[in-house]
Amino acid sequence: MKPETIALHGGSHRADPSTGSVAVPIHQTTSFQFQDTGHAARLFALQELGNIYTRIMNPTCDALETRLAALEGGVAGLAVGSGQAATTFCVLNLCEAGDNIVSSTDLYGGTWNLFANTLKQFGIEVRFVDPADPENFAKASDDRTRCWYAETLPNPKLQVFPIAEVATLGRNLGIPLIMDNTAAPIICKPFQHGAAVVMHSTTKWIGGHGTSIGGMVIDGGNFDWAQHGDRFPTLNRPDPSYHGAVWTEAAKPLGPVAYILRMRTCLLRDIGAPMSPFNAFMFLQGLETLPLRMERHCSNALRVAAFLSGHDQVTSVIHPSVATGEAKRRADAHLAGGYGSLLGFELKGGKEAGQRFIEKLKLFYHVANIGDARSLAIHPATTTHSQLNEEEQAASGVTPGYVRLSIGIEHIDDILADLEQALA
Ligand SMILES: *Cc1c(COP(=O)(O)O)cnc(C)c1O
């Protein structure tokens, strides 16, 4: 089925078997009653799959997990409490102290901090490389490299990551590529370009209404973790926390789901951070209209990019639609149906002009969020990137007059009018 249909019908939920409810019920419960002692024993032994306790699985979360996995073309999903938790789990599922990963430098600020500082506490090293040259990933890797990590459409530079090129290099070395696809749901399908795992901050476009924090990890089921067994001890070595289970073996009856199965049965069990059933319901609600909203987000952003490109107070516009050369080629090779709704531009007057522009906006909200149905704006140099010095800001693509917009689904005339009056 096509994305528009999967967003409404995909995954495990059809009608609730006990009530016939068409909408996914919010199973706001901690625990699930066992049928008898044998049933309880089989669930704990993983001989039968079923609900035990909401830290580990929940039917409302399952409806979201299976629907989003279907939408991305993966085999299974795991819902967690935030995008940050999703990224943390993606890495901890493969890495132990002494291991490393290679990551693109173009990252969400929270991910950068997690990688540069917090993972160090666990003895996990993150090697940052410039994605301009895909070979940089291979050059930075060694026997203890467990995965590569990048974002499809990272802001503020908004240069699409060369997923296909890097995934192919990785597969030749037996190293999986994990993609943060938060900013490009529907318009990019990382599994089609060779990624092994996809994560989302569902907080953004999937939720779409700025109400709930959540994250999702999706297993592509397309990476042979056993073939490269030495590189993935967490998946191929007997696990003492599960009677010596080897996850690549234990997953076999269920399909190619070793990665996500181990994440649920070990990391979610031990570290926690599940998504709440209520938030899963909110994300299901958002997901139903995501394909429609993305169309409008993208068509509005295209118009804003063209409008700003012709404005005399604007020195440059950053959006894949106006990229040139290799950046444009990468955008066109990986995006279909739109160039996303994040957009940056540089004001002639620098920092003061950037701040004044933000203050004059009436329709746009001034917030740190992105992917809301409403249009949003922020001045990164004085907010999200203010901890960096001017040199570091420049390296990350933030100039003093840079303004970041997340274009919403309002009528384009009203969006352009607000930008026009604030620029004036
Ligand atoms: C917001 C965001 C995250 C973190 O997600 P939270 O849900 O806020 O924890 C990760 N990656 C990207 C690209 C994001 O925009």
Side-chain angles (χ1 to χ4, degrees):
M1 289 188 292
K2 306 282 190 210
E4 292 81 352
T5 316
I6 295 172
L8 289 158
H9 296 274
S12 62
H13 179 82
R14 179 65 195 175
D16 182 59
S18 59
T19 62
S21 170
V22 171
V24 179
I26 305 172
H27 292 279
Q28 195 72 21
T29 181
T30 58
S31 320
F32 301 86
Q33 169 145 288
F34 305 121
Q35 290 151 16
D36 51 47
T37 53
H39 180 228
R42 287 194 302 281
L43 291 183
F44 273 88
L46 290 184
Q47 284 161 0
E48 188 180 326
L49 291 184
N51 299 310
I52 298 176
Y53 189 59
T54 284
R55 174 159 26 82
I56 303 165
M57 76 282 275
N58 175 282
T60 313
C61 296
D62 180 70
L64 178 68
E65 287 162 348
T66 50
R67 190 165 293 176
L68 203 44
L71 195 63
E72 282 289 5
V75 291
L78 182 73
V80 292
S82 68
Q84 285 302 109
T87 303
T88 306
F89 277 23
C90 280
V91 175
L92 293 188
N93 205 35
L94 298 173
C95 289
E96 301 176 300
D99 293 342
N100 68 76
I101 74 168
V102 180
S103 170
S104 167
T105 45
D106 294 351
L107 289 176
Y108 173 70
T111 310
W112 175 273
N113 267 323
L114 169 69
F115 283 3
N117 301 306
T118 301
L119 285 183
K120 262 192 205 149
Q121 286 178 234
F122 297 83
I124 298 165
E125 180 199 355
V126 180
R127 302 172 177 178
F128 295 100
V129 298
D130 183 351
D133 182 1
E135 291 283 351
N136 288 343
F137 281 82
K139 284 181 195 149
S141 297
D142 61 23
D143 288 350
R144 298 290 296 266
T145 303
R146 302 298 182 229
C147 64
W148 294 347
Y149 191 96
E151 291 179 20
T152 305
L153 187 54
N155 77 84
K157 288 183 190 165
L158 298 175
Q159 291 182 352
V160 174
F161 184 78
I163 305 174
E165 291 89 333
V166 175
T168 303
L169 286 171
R171 282 177 185 274
N172 289 337
L173 297 168
I175 301 175
L177 175 63
I178 300 178
M179 289 304 305
D180 177 340
N181 201 34
T182 299
I186 307 291
I187 59 174
C188 181
K189 296 283 167 60
F191 292 137
Q192 288 178 1
H193 304 287
V197 175
V198 165
M199 68 73 60
H200 278 280
S201 166
T202 52
T203 311
K204 314 292 170 53
W205 285 264
I206 290 170
H209 299 79
T211 62
S212 316
I213 301 280
M216 180 71 68
V217 182
I218 301 162
D219 188 336
N222 59 9
F223 195 87
D224 192 341
W225 307 97
Q227 187 195 341
H228 310 286
D230 291 346
R231 198 178 281 284
F232 308 111
T234 58
L235 299 179
N236 288 289
R237 188 181 54 199
D239 185 339
S241 82
Y242 242 105
H243 301 299
V246 173
W247 292 110
T248 49
E249 292 294 322
K252 270 184 186 157
L254 305 170
V257 294
Y259 179 84
I260 209 83
L261 181 67
R262 195 254 174 193
M263 189 179 284
R264 185 187 296 281
T265 50
C266 297
L267 294 182
L268 202 53
R269 176 196 63 188
D270 298 349
I271 300 178
M275 180 182 284
S276 90
F278 183 80
N279 280 10
F281 175 83
M282 297 302 283
F283 295 130
L284 280 161
Q285 196 72 19
L287 199 52
E288 292 195 351
T289 57
L290 177 67
L292 265 180
R293 281 187 287 109
M294 285 307 285
E295 270 182 43
R296 176 63 77 87
H297 276 301
C298 291
S299 64
N300 278 352
L302 207 57
R303 292 280 304 275
V304 171
F307 165 77
L308 291 173
S309 296
H311 200 285
D312 64 0
Q313 288 302 311
V314 174
T315 55
S316 68
V317 175
I318 296 106
H319 186 248
S321 70
V322 295
T324 54
E326 177 62 9
K328 185 71 183 351
R329 193 201 62 75
R330 286 178 181 181
D332 288 332
H334 293 93
L335 304 181
Y339 291 107
S341 62
L342 289 176
L343 189 148
F345 68 99
E346 170 76 23
L347 278 167
K348 250 183 199 164
K351 187 168 151 183
E352 276 92 301
Q355 285 182 298
R356 280 194 62 208
F357 170 78
I358 297 274
E359 274 157 21
K360 294 293 176 189
L361 289 167
K362 292 182 181 147
L363 183 72
F364 280 67
Y365 278 87
H366 178 203
V367 296
N369 191 26
I370 51 176
D372 196 301
R374 302 159 190 81
S375 288
L376 316 173
I378 199 161
H379 181 238
T382 54
T383 56
T384 53
H385 289 64
S386 58
Q387 264 80 316
L388 309 181
N389 63 38
E390 205 151 313
E391 221 163 83
E392 291 169 325
Q393 286 190 359
S396 72
V398 172
T399 47
Y402 185 100
V403 174
R404 183 184 77 193
L405 304 178
S406 175
I407 302 300
I409 62 173
E410 301 94 340
H411 196 285
I412 186 63
D413 293 353
D414 297 323
I415 294 174
L416 294 180
D418 195 37
L419 294 171
E420 178 95 73
Q421 66 79 24
L423 285 165

